[in-house]
Amino acid sequence: MKNSEIKTNVNFEGAILTPELIFTIKGMQTDDNEELDGQLKYLSNAVCSITRIMLDMSEENARKFTQICINLTCVMDTIETLRKP
């Protein structure tokens, strides 16, 4: 392996930043957070689709789907923290 191919991790206040993570965050933040906005749109569409399906299902299944929507919303909130100011 060439020296230029050696991967190093960065420890930043206890958080381990791998080259892959840095590449992903950098990609999400390019063009005014365009990729990040796209990922959030996919999640938002999924939550809306699930909510529409819930209108025609039993109360028990609707409760299960409600928890899924809550979980997806939490993921959206986490992804939002990656936004470049």
Side-chain angles (χ1 to χ4, degrees):
M1 180 181 279
K2 297 178 185 175
N3 283 343
S4 62
E5 295 177 12
I6 295 174
K7 294 185 176 187
T8 58
N9 298 329
V10 176
N11 184 328
F12 184 78
E13 296 186 18
I16 305 301
L17 306 177
T18 63
E20 294 84 1
L21 176 60
I22 293 168
F23 178 81
T24 299
I25 293 171
K26 186 177 178 182
M28 291 182 102
Q29 292 180 345
T30 58
D31 295 328
D32 221 9
N33 300 300
E34 184 176 354
E35 178 68 25
L36 185 141
D37 290 336
Q39 296 296 322
L40 289 172
K41 185 176 179 179
Y42 290 143
L43 285 168
S44 177
N45 288 343
V47 170
C48 289
S49 295
I50 291 168
T51 304
R52 280 189 209 100
I53 292 168
M54 288 171 53
L55 296 174
D56 294 327
M57 65 174 51
S58 70
E59 187 176 327
E60 181 182 340
N61 284 337
R63 270 189 244 125
K64 291 176 186 176
F65 274 69
T66 298
Q67 187 59 54
I68 292 169
C69 287
I70 290 168
N71 295 345
L72 287 172
T73 301
C74 290
V75 170
M76 290 172 63
D77 290 344
T78 300
I79 291 174
E80 184 67 38
T81 67
L82 300 176
R83 183 176 298 283
K84 178 171 67 177

